Amino acid sequence: MAIFKGAGVAIITPMYKDGSVNYEKLEQLVDEQITNGTDAIIICGTTGESSTLTEPEHVECIKVAAAAAKKRVPVIAGTGSNDTKTAIYLTKEAQDAGADGALIVSPYYNKATQKGLIAHYTEIAKHTDLPIILYNIQSRTGVNIAPETIVTLAKTCDNIVAVKEASGNISQVAKIMHLADGCVDLYSGNDDQIVPLLSLGGLGVISVLSNVAPKYTHDIVANYMAGNVAESCRMQLKALPLIDALFCEVNPIPVKMAMNLMGKDVGPLRLPLTEMEEGHVKILAQAMKDFGLAVKEN
């Protein structure tokens, strides 16, 4: 049984001007996402600035998201760390906080071997009942989870059930699905590759785009699943300029700016992330307008 099918939002963490977490706004954003068709809430991921949240803030964000979702859609908590013990702790806390699954990024900076990755994920899986989605994003972590490693983990750990693939390497994704032969669910980690990964057997996307266009992103997947492949492809291609603008600086700098341009008042970023360059703001605002999103005039 898949954790979810469709478009899950990699939701931002809203903050007050002083940089503290705005839990009331987070609750509101979760409700808005579900109302607009989002199929899952992914909390405390890269887009949620998990790397600069304290552990108490991290756990509280999961609690707030789970309470706001009210089991209408699954809530999947980012609980990865480069320290296995910390990842186990956060995953246990997420389960206690009401999460329905865990998204666990590969250990960063340590640059573990494939043997180390298997040991890391196996140890985490032993300590939770939550279904686990592996998160492969070498551009951030410095290490690729090889297709063989992904399949080994899925076959030896009952609760490792899926992978969020953000390598951008379509050939690697094809190899994962070939080797898996149905034992691993696949989610795109790149908004510009939703349809390509669906064509290889993917179940959906864990999306940054969904923060500003939840129904649209949901519909890309829903159309594909309903057999309307041409329409799904058309929607994917139409969204590419906006997707490019949402990644013209490191995520989540642009998407947080986009939400503020829409009047959602999600607040600032935490250092070392800084506010968007003015030239990039203009590019983002134009892409949003061309896509049909309302942009608040200054």
Side-chain angles (χ1 to χ4, degrees):
M1 184 73 174
I3 301 177
F4 77 96
K5 295 180 181 179
V9 61
I11 200 164
I12 63 100
T13 299
M15 295 175 184
Y16 293 108
K17 289 181 180 179
D18 66 0
S20 59
V21 177
N22 186 342
Y23 296 109
E24 184 178 354
K25 175 66 71 171
L26 176 59
E27 183 178 349
Q28 178 185 330
L29 292 176
V30 169
D31 190 63
E32 286 179 3
Q33 283 287 325
I34 297 171
T35 299
N36 283 282
T38 287
D39 300 290
I41 304 294
I42 293 78
I43 186 77
C44 296
T46 305
T47 312
E49 298 179 75
S50 58
S51 58
T52 51
L53 294 175
T54 66
E55 287 182 0
E57 287 172 334
H58 198 125
V59 173
E60 186 63 22
C61 283
I62 298 167
K63 287 180 180 176
V64 169
K70 299 175 183 174
K71 296 297 181 183
R72 289 175 289 173
V73 301
V75 171
I76 300 160
T79 59
S81 172
N82 66 332
D83 171 44
T84 305
K85 288 184 178 179
T86 300
I88 290 169
Y89 166 76
L90 287 173
T91 306
K92 284 181 174 180
E93 289 292 313
Q95 182 168 334
D96 291 344
D100 301 291
L103 175 69
I104 304 181
V105 72
S106 59
Y108 37 87
Y109 192 77
N110 310 60
K111 297 187 76 171
T113 63
Q114 298 303 307
K115 178 182 176 182
L117 292 175
I118 290 170
H120 173 77
Y121 280 113
T122 300
E123 193 63 24
I124 297 167
K126 287 178 184 175
H127 288 85
T128 184
D129 297 323
L130 290 178
I132 292 170
I133 303 175
L134 308 176
Y135 182 11
N136 189 31
I137 182 164
Q138 185 175 4
S139 63
R140 287 201 181 249
T141 65
V143 64
N144 181 55
I145 312 177
E148 293 83 357
T149 299
I150 291 167
V151 173
T152 294
L153 285 165
K155 288 184 175 179
T156 56
C157 302
D158 289 343
N159 56 336
I160 293 180
V161 299
V163 59
K164 175 186 175 183
E165 245 296 335
S167 68
N169 185 339
I170 298 296
S171 296
Q172 173 166 288
V173 176
K175 187 173 183 180
I176 291 168
M177 299 308 280
H178 166 69
L179 294 174
D181 194 26
C183 76
V184 174
D185 292 335
L186 171 69
Y187 299 101
S188 175
N190 296 319
D191 283 310
D192 61 350
Q193 294 182 345
I194 300 171
V195 171
L197 265 67
L198 291 176
S199 75
L200 290 170
L203 298 183
V205 61
I206 295 177
S207 169
V208 175
L209 177 65
S210 284
N211 281 282
V212 296
K215 185 178 186 304
Y216 190 96
T217 314
H218 164 86
D219 286 351
I220 291 175
V221 182
N223 271 303
Y224 191 96
M225 296 300 190
N228 302 322
V229 176
E231 176 62 8
S232 178
C233 185
R234 183 197 69 80
M235 294 179 74
Q236 170 81 89
L237 296 176
K238 178 186 174 183
L240 285 182
L242 176 57
I243 293 166
D244 287 345
L246 287 171
F247 289 90
C248 68
E249 290 188 24
V250 69
N251 179 48
I253 293 174
V255 71
K256 225 168 182 184
M257 173 58 73
M259 295 178 77
N260 283 325
L261 288 173
M262 293 171 73
K264 292 188 177 294
D265 298 322
V266 298
L269 301 135
R270 282 187 177 173
L271 288 171
L273 298 184
T274 53
E275 294 304 317
M276 206 169 180
E277 299 287 344
E278 190 58 38
H280 289 156
V281 174
K282 291 178 181 177
I283 292 170
L284 175 62
Q286 189 59 55
M288 293 169 68
K289 290 176 183 177
D290 291 346
F291 187 76
L293 296 176
V295 175
K296 184 177 67 173
E297 298 298 330
N298 292 329

